[in-house]
């Protein structure tokens, strides 16, 4: 590529990332269904045509928002599945998920917005990931009780990672979320935290 | 009132209730922002004019959906505040909230939909209620850790009371939710449940 082409490519990537960042903020405030491409364009001072250059539909934009999170979630799940013992697997899944939730603001949207949940469930890969994630947490306590616990923990952590505790130090928030999850699932809570 | 007027009044109330019921189901499926009055009209085979006869805006409809839940929440909070001891107060708040969540399908919408949360926060009464509710649960473990725990428990229970566990017996679901909440908050879990 020529220098000009490289610069154009990097500026294109920057614009794409800005679009994604603004979309996440608007999804958090207004829900996915309540955010239009027009609102995203207005927020950035872009024309709708400029948005179309990167994303043809709101759904394509959601995919781009979700993909980096999905990739890391896949890794956490595979790592957890490779461990021995139901408690160790659940603990790795819990801490990995809490870490993702604290780092990535999109998790609170994914977990809470029914329109997003419906779109994601339409993808079979997502469905399979959620099932593996739930199984890792629920196996500590087999049967429906374990599944209900796992669901309370996952959605509770996702939701508490949203705007409510924006003022709390991220490391502290992570520690509180992990401790709450461990207690709820009946996992060992290290001394220093109890 | 004449017999005819009484019948008309009761039929008007029935229609209003059907509207509310259908609205809740559509909010659960499509989120509040993703549900239009037109969709509600279509679902019932009504004209939009027939809906306007009862509710001028989607916001008025949301108020009608939320009001019965709010009334019971107020009662649970006041009862809990009347008890002696942080643990007893938290336990009453937790079990009362879980009961409401299991009985009233709208709780999963209220807790999860950012557009609904924003509208509700605009009401000062709602804000005050949420604060009292959080304080009752968080006082068991003062400081930010207690608030994070309380938030995980409330939103986790609200979300798990949604469509995910529609197949589980309601009494069983309630018992699982309460046990999970007690463990997460560090409250006593009665023998039979542990």
């Amino acid at each position: 590529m020529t220098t000009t082409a490289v610069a154009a490519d990097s500026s294109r990537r920057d614009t794409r990332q800005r679009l994604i960042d603004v979309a996440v903020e608007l999804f958090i405030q207004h829900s996915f269904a309540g955010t239009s491409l027009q609102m995203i364009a207005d927020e950035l001072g872009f024309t709708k045509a400029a948005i179309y250059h990167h994303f043809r539909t709101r759904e394509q934009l959601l995919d781009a928002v979700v993909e980096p999170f999905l990739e890391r979630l896949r890794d956490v799940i595979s790592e957890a599945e490779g461990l021995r013992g139901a408690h160790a697997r659940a603990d790795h899944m819990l801490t990995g998920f809490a870490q993702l939730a604290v780092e990535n603001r999109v998790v609170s949207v994914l977990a809470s917005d029914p329109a997003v949940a419906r779109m994601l469930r339409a993808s079979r890969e997502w469905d399979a990931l959620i099932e593996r994630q739930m199984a890792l947490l629920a196996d500590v306590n087999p049967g429906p009780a374990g599944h209900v616990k796992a669901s309370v923990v996952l959605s509770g952590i996702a939701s508490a990672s949203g705007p409510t505790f924006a003022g709390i130090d991220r490391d502290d928030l992570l520690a509180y979320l992990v401790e709450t999850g461990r207690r709820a699932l009946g996992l060992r809570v290290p001394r220093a935290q109890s």
Side-chain angles (χ1 to χ4, degrees), chain A residues 97 101 107-109 111-112 153-165 177:
Chain A
F97 182 81
V107 176
S108 70
V109 179
S112 70
V153 167
L154 288 174
S155 46
I157 288 177
S159 158
S161 73
T164 322
F165 296 110
L177 292 175

Side-chain angles (χ1 to χ4, degrees), chain A residues 121-168:
Chain A
R121 275 197 306 267
S123 127
R124 289 175 78 179
E125 199 220 334
W126 177 260
D127 232 17
L129 276 183
I130 297 291
E131 209 158 298
R132 286 163 65 194
Q133 177 179 248
M134 283 287 286
L136 283 162
L137 294 182
D139 280 358
V140 175
N141 188 177
H147 276 87
V148 172
K149 274 186 195 174
S151 167
V152 169
V153 167
L154 288 174
S155 46
I157 288 177
S159 158
S161 73
T164 322
F165 296 110
I168 294 187

Side-chain angles (χ1 to χ4, degrees), chain A residues 6-26:
Chain A
V6 169
D9 187 60
S10 133
S11 137
R12 186 185 151 90
R13 256 181 299 140
D14 289 352
T15 308
R16 191 184 142 90
Q17 193 55 51
R18 274 178 68 204
L19 264 165
I20 292 177
D21 294 343
V22 164
V24 170
E25 293 310 314
L26 290 175

